[in-house]
Short mmCIF file of all heavy atoms in Angstrom, two decimals:
data_model
loop_
_atom_site.label_atom_id
_atom_site.label_comp_id
_atom_site.label_asym_id
_atom_site.label_seq_id
_atom_site.Cartn_x
_atom_site.Cartn_y
_atom_site.Cartn_z
N ALA X 3 5.30 -3.83 3.31
CA ALA X 3 5.12 -5.26 3.19
C ALA X 3 4.40 -5.83 4.41
O ALA X 3 3.54 -6.72 4.30
CB ALA X 3 6.47 -5.95 3.01
N GLU X 4 4.73 -5.31 5.59
CA GLU X 4 4.07 -5.75 6.82
C GLU X 4 2.60 -5.34 6.82
O GLU X 4 1.72 -6.11 7.24
CB GLU X 4 4.79 -5.14 8.02
CG GLU X 4 4.31 -5.65 9.36
CD GLU X 4 4.67 -7.11 9.60
OE1 GLU X 4 5.65 -7.60 8.98
OE2 GLU X 4 3.97 -7.76 10.39
N ASN X 5 2.33 -4.12 6.34
CA ASN X 5 0.95 -3.63 6.31
C ASN X 5 0.06 -4.45 5.38
O ASN X 5 -1.13 -4.66 5.68
CB ASN X 5 0.93 -2.16 5.85
CG ASN X 5 1.43 -1.20 6.91
OD1 ASN X 5 1.36 -1.50 8.10
ND2 ASN X 5 1.94 -0.06 6.49
N ILE X 6 0.60 -4.88 4.26
CA ILE X 6 -0.23 -5.58 3.28
C ILE X 6 -0.21 -7.10 3.47
O ILE X 6 -0.96 -7.81 2.80
CB ILE X 6 0.18 -5.23 1.83
CG1 ILE X 6 1.56 -5.81 1.47
CG2 ILE X 6 0.15 -3.72 1.63
CD1 ILE X 6 1.94 -5.59 0.01
N ALA X 7 0.61 -7.58 4.39
CA ALA X 7 0.70 -9.03 4.62
C ALA X 7 -0.65 -9.66 4.93
O ALA X 7 -0.94 -10.76 4.44
CB ALA X 7 1.71 -9.31 5.74
N PRO X 8 -1.53 -9.03 5.74
CA PRO X 8 -2.83 -9.65 6.03
C PRO X 8 -3.73 -9.76 4.80
O PRO X 8 -4.74 -10.46 4.86
CB PRO X 8 -3.45 -8.71 7.08
CG PRO X 8 -2.28 -8.00 7.68
CD PRO X 8 -1.32 -7.81 6.55
N TRP X 9 -3.37 -9.08 3.71
CA TRP X 9 -4.19 -9.12 2.49
C TRP X 9 -3.66 -10.12 1.46
O TRP X 9 -4.15 -10.17 0.33
CB TRP X 9 -4.24 -7.73 1.83
CG TRP X 9 -4.48 -6.59 2.75
CD1 TRP X 9 -5.07 -6.63 3.99
CD2 TRP X 9 -4.11 -5.22 2.53
NE1 TRP X 9 -5.11 -5.36 4.53
CE2 TRP X 9 -4.54 -4.49 3.67
CE3 TRP X 9 -3.50 -4.55 1.48
CZ2 TRP X 9 -4.34 -3.11 3.77
CZ3 TRP X 9 -3.30 -3.18 1.57
CH2 TRP X 9 -3.73 -2.47 2.71
N LYS X 10 -2.68 -10.89 1.86
CA LYS X 10 -1.94 -11.71 0.90
C LYS X 10 -2.84 -12.63 0.08
O LYS X 10 -2.57 -12.91 -1.10
CB LYS X 10 -0.88 -12.54 1.63
CG LYS X 10 0.12 -13.22 0.72
CD LYS X 10 1.22 -13.86 1.54
CE LYS X 10 2.24 -14.56 0.65
NZ LYS X 10 3.32 -15.18 1.44
N HIS X 11 -3.93 -13.11 0.67
CA HIS X 11 -4.80 -14.05 -0.04
C HIS X 11 -5.57 -13.39 -1.18
O HIS X 11 -6.14 -14.09 -2.03
CB HIS X 11 -5.77 -14.71 0.95
CG HIS X 11 -6.71 -13.76 1.63
ND1 HIS X 11 -6.28 -12.84 2.56
CD2 HIS X 11 -8.05 -13.57 1.50
CE1 HIS X 11 -7.32 -12.14 3.00
NE2 HIS X 11 -8.39 -12.57 2.37
N VAL X 12 -5.62 -12.05 -1.20
CA VAL X 12 -6.33 -11.36 -2.30
C VAL X 12 -5.39 -10.51 -3.16
O VAL X 12 -5.81 -10.03 -4.21
CB VAL X 12 -7.48 -10.47 -1.76
CG1 VAL X 12 -8.57 -11.33 -1.13
CG2 VAL X 12 -6.96 -9.41 -0.80
N VAL X 13 -4.16 -10.31 -2.72
CA VAL X 13 -3.21 -9.51 -3.50
C VAL X 13 -2.63 -10.38 -4.62
O VAL X 13 -1.86 -11.30 -4.37
CB VAL X 13 -2.07 -8.95 -2.62
CG1 VAL X 13 -1.02 -8.25 -3.49
CG2 VAL X 13 -2.63 -7.98 -1.58
N GLU X 14 -3.03 -10.07 -5.85
CA GLU X 14 -2.57 -10.86 -7.00
C GLU X 14 -1.18 -10.46 -7.46
O GLU X 14 -0.47 -11.27 -8.04
CB GLU X 14 -3.55 -10.70 -8.17
CG GLU X 14 -4.91 -11.30 -7.90
CD GLU X 14 -5.77 -11.34 -9.14
OE1 GLU X 14 -5.66 -10.41 -9.97
OE2 GLU X 14 -6.55 -12.29 -9.29
N ARG X 15 -0.82 -9.22 -7.22
CA ARG X 15 0.52 -8.76 -7.61
C ARG X 15 0.85 -7.47 -6.89
O ARG X 15 -0.02 -6.74 -6.42
CB ARG X 15 0.61 -8.53 -9.11
CG ARG X 15 -0.33 -7.44 -9.63
CD ARG X 15 0.05 -6.99 -11.05
NE ARG X 15 -0.10 -8.04 -12.03
CZ ARG X 15 0.24 -7.89 -13.30
NH1 ARG X 15 0.75 -6.75 -13.72
NH2 ARG X 15 0.06 -8.87 -14.17
N VAL X 16 2.17 -7.18 -6.83
CA VAL X 16 2.67 -5.88 -6.37
C VAL X 16 3.43 -5.26 -7.54
O VAL X 16 4.33 -5.89 -8.10
CB VAL X 16 3.60 -6.03 -5.15
CG1 VAL X 16 4.20 -4.67 -4.77
CG2 VAL X 16 2.84 -6.62 -3.97
N GLU X 17 3.05 -4.06 -7.90
CA GLU X 17 3.73 -3.35 -8.97
C GLU X 17 4.62 -2.26 -8.36
O GLU X 17 4.11 -1.34 -7.71
CB GLU X 17 2.73 -2.71 -9.93
CG GLU X 17 1.87 -3.73 -10.66
CD GLU X 17 0.92 -3.12 -11.66
OE1 GLU X 17 0.69 -1.88 -11.59
OE2 GLU X 17 0.40 -3.85 -12.51
N VAL X 18 5.91 -2.39 -8.56
CA VAL X 18 6.88 -1.42 -8.06
C VAL X 18 7.24 -0.49 -9.22
O VAL X 18 7.80 -0.92 -10.22
CB VAL X 18 8.14 -2.12 -7.51
CG1 VAL X 18 9.18 -1.09 -7.10
CG2 VAL X 18 7.76 -3.00 -6.32
N LEU X 19 6.92 0.78 -9.07
CA LEU X 19 7.05 1.74 -10.15
C LEU X 19 8.12 2.77 -9.82
O LEU X 19 8.05 3.43 -8.77
CB LEU X 19 5.72 2.45 -10.40
CG LEU X 19 4.50 1.53 -10.57
CD1 LEU X 19 3.22 2.34 -10.61
CD2 LEU X 19 4.65 0.70 -11.83
N PRO X 20 9.13 2.94 -10.65
CA PRO X 20 10.16 3.95 -10.37
C PRO X 20 9.65 5.37 -10.61
O PRO X 20 8.95 5.63 -11.59
CB PRO X 20 11.28 3.59 -11.36
CG PRO X 20 10.60 2.87 -12.47
CD PRO X 20 9.44 2.14 -11.85
N PHE X 21 9.97 6.26 -9.70
CA PHE X 21 9.63 7.67 -9.85
C PHE X 21 10.26 8.26 -11.10
O PHE X 21 11.37 7.91 -11.49
CB PHE X 21 10.13 8.44 -8.62
CG PHE X 21 10.30 9.92 -8.83
CD1 PHE X 21 9.21 10.78 -8.81
CD2 PHE X 21 11.56 10.45 -9.09
CE1 PHE X 21 9.37 12.14 -9.03
CE2 PHE X 21 11.73 11.82 -9.31
CZ PHE X 21 10.63 12.65 -9.27
N HIS X 22 9.52 9.16 -11.75
CA HIS X 22 10.11 10.00 -12.80
C HIS X 22 9.55 11.41 -12.61
O HIS X 22 8.53 11.61 -11.96
CB HIS X 22 9.77 9.47 -14.20
CG HIS X 22 8.29 9.49 -14.54
ND1 HIS X 22 7.61 10.66 -14.81
CD2 HIS X 22 7.39 8.49 -14.63
CE1 HIS X 22 6.35 10.39 -15.08
NE2 HIS X 22 6.18 9.08 -14.96
N ASN X 23 10.24 12.39 -13.13
CA ASN X 23 9.81 13.79 -12.91
C ASN X 23 9.23 14.43 -14.16
O ASN X 23 9.35 15.63 -14.36
CB ASN X 23 10.96 14.64 -12.35
CG ASN X 23 12.17 14.66 -13.29
OD1 ASN X 23 12.10 14.17 -14.42
ND2 ASN X 23 13.27 15.24 -12.83
N MET X 24 8.54 13.61 -14.98
CA MET X 24 7.93 14.16 -16.19
C MET X 24 6.78 15.11 -15.91
O MET X 24 6.33 15.81 -16.79
CB MET X 24 7.47 13.02 -17.10
CG MET X 24 8.61 12.27 -17.78
SD MET X 24 8.05 11.17 -19.09
CE MET X 24 7.18 9.91 -18.15
N GLY X 25 6.30 15.12 -14.67
CA GLY X 25 5.22 16.04 -14.33
C GLY X 25 5.68 17.42 -13.92
O GLY X 25 4.85 18.30 -13.64
N GLN X 26 6.99 17.64 -13.89
CA GLN X 26 7.51 18.92 -13.40
C GLN X 26 6.95 20.11 -14.17
O GLN X 26 6.59 21.13 -13.57
CB GLN X 26 9.04 18.92 -13.50
CG GLN X 26 9.69 20.22 -13.06
CD GLN X 26 11.20 20.13 -13.06
OE1 GLN X 26 11.77 19.19 -12.52
NE2 GLN X 26 11.85 21.09 -13.69
N ASP X 27 6.86 20.01 -15.49
CA ASP X 27 6.37 21.12 -16.29
C ASP X 27 4.93 21.48 -15.93
O ASP X 27 4.55 22.66 -15.98
CB ASP X 27 6.46 20.79 -17.78
CG ASP X 27 7.89 20.75 -18.29
OD1 ASP X 27 8.78 21.25 -17.58
OD2 ASP X 27 8.11 20.22 -19.40
N LYS X 28 4.14 20.48 -15.57
CA LYS X 28 2.76 20.75 -15.18
C LYS X 28 2.70 21.52 -13.86
O LYS X 28 1.89 22.44 -13.70
CB LYS X 28 1.97 19.45 -15.05
CG LYS X 28 1.67 18.78 -16.38
CD LYS X 28 0.74 17.60 -16.18
CE LYS X 28 0.37 16.96 -17.50
NZ LYS X 28 -0.61 15.86 -17.32
N TRP X 29 3.55 21.14 -12.90
CA TRP X 29 3.60 21.87 -11.64
C TRP X 29 3.96 23.33 -11.91
O TRP X 29 3.36 24.25 -11.34
CB TRP X 29 4.63 21.24 -10.71
CG TRP X 29 4.20 19.96 -10.06
CD1 TRP X 29 4.19 18.73 -10.62
CD2 TRP X 29 3.71 19.79 -8.72
NE1 TRP X 29 3.73 17.79 -9.72
CE2 TRP X 29 3.44 18.40 -8.56
CE3 TRP X 29 3.51 20.66 -7.66
CZ2 TRP X 29 2.95 17.89 -7.35
CZ3 TRP X 29 3.03 20.14 -6.45
CH2 TRP X 29 2.76 18.78 -6.31
N ASP X 30 4.94 23.53 -12.77
CA ASP X 30 5.36 24.90 -13.09
C ASP X 30 4.24 25.68 -13.77
O ASP X 30 3.99 26.85 -13.45
CB ASP X 30 6.59 24.87 -14.01
CG ASP X 30 7.83 24.33 -13.32
OD1 ASP X 30 7.85 24.31 -12.07
OD2 ASP X 30 8.78 23.93 -14.02
N ALA X 31 3.54 25.04 -14.70
CA ALA X 31 2.46 25.71 -15.43
C ALA X 31 1.32 26.11 -14.50
O ALA X 31 0.65 27.13 -14.73
CB ALA X 31 1.94 24.80 -16.54
N LEU X 32 1.12 25.32 -13.45
CA LEU X 32 0.05 25.61 -12.49
C LEU X 32 0.50 26.56 -11.38
O LEU X 32 -0.29 26.93 -10.52
CB LEU X 32 -0.46 24.31 -11.87
CG LEU X 32 -1.17 23.34 -12.83
CD1 LEU X 32 -1.41 22.01 -12.15
CD2 LEU X 32 -2.48 23.94 -13.32
N GLY X 33 1.78 26.93 -11.39
CA GLY X 33 2.30 27.83 -10.37
C GLY X 33 2.43 27.17 -9.01
O GLY X 33 2.38 27.84 -7.98
N LEU X 34 2.66 25.85 -9.00
CA LEU X 34 2.77 25.10 -7.76
C LEU X 34 4.23 24.78 -7.44
O LEU X 34 5.04 24.61 -8.35
CB LEU X 34 1.98 23.79 -7.86
CG LEU X 34 0.48 23.92 -8.14
CD1 LEU X 34 -0.13 22.53 -8.37
CD2 LEU X 34 -0.23 24.63 -7.00
N GLU X 35 4.53 24.71 -6.15
CA GLU X 35 5.89 24.37 -5.74
C GLU X 35 6.15 22.89 -5.96
O GLU X 35 5.42 22.04 -5.44
CB GLU X 35 6.10 24.70 -4.26
CG GLU X 35 7.49 24.34 -3.76
CD GLU X 35 7.63 24.47 -2.25
OE1 GLU X 35 6.62 24.78 -1.58
OE2 GLU X 35 8.75 24.24 -1.75
N TYR X 36 7.18 22.57 -6.70
CA TYR X 36 7.54 21.18 -6.97
C TYR X 36 8.76 20.81 -6.15
O TYR X 36 9.87 21.27 -6.42
CB TYR X 36 7.81 20.99 -8.46
CG TYR X 36 8.02 19.55 -8.88
CD1 TYR X 36 7.03 18.60 -8.66
CD2 TYR X 36 9.20 19.15 -9.49
CE1 TYR X 36 7.21 17.27 -9.04
CE2 TYR X 36 9.39 17.82 -9.89
CZ TYR X 36 8.39 16.90 -9.65
OH TYR X 36 8.58 15.59 -10.04
N LYS X 37 8.55 19.99 -5.13
CA LYS X 37 9.62 19.69 -4.18
C LYS X 37 10.66 18.72 -4.72
O LYS X 37 11.72 18.57 -4.12
CB LYS X 37 9.00 19.12 -2.90
CG LYS X 37 8.12 20.11 -2.16
CD LYS X 37 7.57 19.50 -0.88
CE LYS X 37 6.70 20.49 -0.13
NZ LYS X 37 6.14 19.90 1.11
N LEU X 38 10.37 18.06 -5.83
CA LEU X 38 11.28 17.06 -6.36
C LEU X 38 11.99 17.53 -7.63
O LEU X 38 12.40 16.71 -8.46
CB LEU X 38 10.52 15.75 -6.64
CG LEU X 38 9.82 15.13 -5.44
CD1 LEU X 38 9.16 13.82 -5.83
CD2 LEU X 38 10.79 14.91 -4.30
N ARG X 39 12.16 18.83 -7.76
CA ARG X 39 12.73 19.40 -8.97
C ARG X 39 14.09 18.79 -9.33
O ARG X 39 14.38 18.56 -10.49
CB ARG X 39 12.86 20.92 -8.81
CG ARG X 39 13.35 21.65 -10.05
CD ARG X 39 13.22 23.15 -9.89
NE ARG X 39 11.86 23.52 -9.57
CZ ARG X 39 10.89 23.65 -10.48
NH1 ARG X 39 11.16 23.44 -11.75
NH2 ARG X 39 9.67 24.00 -10.13
N ASP X 40 14.91 18.56 -8.36
CA ASP X 40 16.26 18.04 -8.64
C ASP X 40 16.38 16.54 -8.38
O ASP X 40 17.48 15.98 -8.44
CB ASP X 40 17.29 18.78 -7.77
CG ASP X 40 17.32 20.28 -8.08
OD1 ASP X 40 17.21 20.63 -9.27
OD2 ASP X 40 17.46 21.07 -7.13
N ALA X 41 15.25 15.88 -8.10
CA ALA X 41 15.30 14.45 -7.81
C ALA X 41 15.55 13.63 -9.07
O ALA X 41 15.06 13.98 -10.15
CB ALA X 41 13.99 14.01 -7.16
N GLN X 42 16.30 12.58 -8.92
CA GLN X 42 16.60 11.68 -10.03
C GLN X 42 15.80 10.38 -9.85
O GLN X 42 15.45 10.00 -8.74
CB GLN X 42 18.09 11.35 -10.07
CG GLN X 42 18.97 12.57 -10.32
CD GLN X 42 18.69 13.19 -11.67
OE1 GLN X 42 18.61 12.49 -12.68
NE2 GLN X 42 18.54 14.51 -11.70
N PRO X 43 15.50 9.68 -10.94
CA PRO X 43 14.84 8.38 -10.81
C PRO X 43 15.69 7.43 -9.98
O PRO X 43 16.92 7.57 -9.94
CB PRO X 43 14.73 7.90 -12.26
CG PRO X 43 14.82 9.15 -13.09
CD PRO X 43 15.73 10.07 -12.34
N PRO X 44 15.09 6.46 -9.33
CA PRO X 44 15.87 5.50 -8.55
C PRO X 44 16.72 4.63 -9.48
O PRO X 44 16.37 4.41 -10.64
CB PRO X 44 14.80 4.67 -7.84
CG PRO X 44 13.61 4.77 -8.74
CD PRO X 44 13.65 6.15 -9.30
N SER X 45 17.81 4.14 -8.97
CA SER X 45 18.66 3.25 -9.75
C SER X 45 17.94 1.92 -9.98
O SER X 45 17.04 1.55 -9.22
CB SER X 45 19.98 3.01 -9.04
OG SER X 45 19.76 2.27 -7.85
N LYS X 46 18.39 1.21 -11.01
CA LYS X 46 17.83 -0.11 -11.27
C LYS X 46 18.07 -1.04 -10.08
O LYS X 46 17.23 -1.89 -9.76
CB LYS X 46 18.45 -0.70 -12.53
CG LYS X 46 18.05 0.02 -13.82
CD LYS X 46 18.67 -0.64 -15.03
CE LYS X 46 18.26 0.08 -16.32
NZ LYS X 46 18.88 -0.54 -17.52
N GLU X 47 19.22 -0.86 -9.43
CA GLU X 47 19.55 -1.69 -8.28
C GLU X 47 18.58 -1.46 -7.12
O GLU X 47 18.15 -2.40 -6.45
CB GLU X 47 20.99 -1.42 -7.83
CG GLU X 47 22.06 -1.87 -8.81
CD GLU X 47 22.23 -0.94 -10.01
OE1 GLU X 47 21.68 0.19 -9.98
OE2 GLU X 47 22.88 -1.36 -10.98
#
C-alpha cells in the first residue's frame, strides 16, 4: 500500500485475489518442484 500510494491518482482499483493451487497438476506434469503443495487458500477473513 505504501509503495503504490504515489500512484493513487491513476490507480482505478486494487484487485485482491485469493491464492488457489489449481496449477499443481501442471507443475507435476512439467517435472517442476511445487513449493505450495500443501498450502490452503486464505480464509475469507
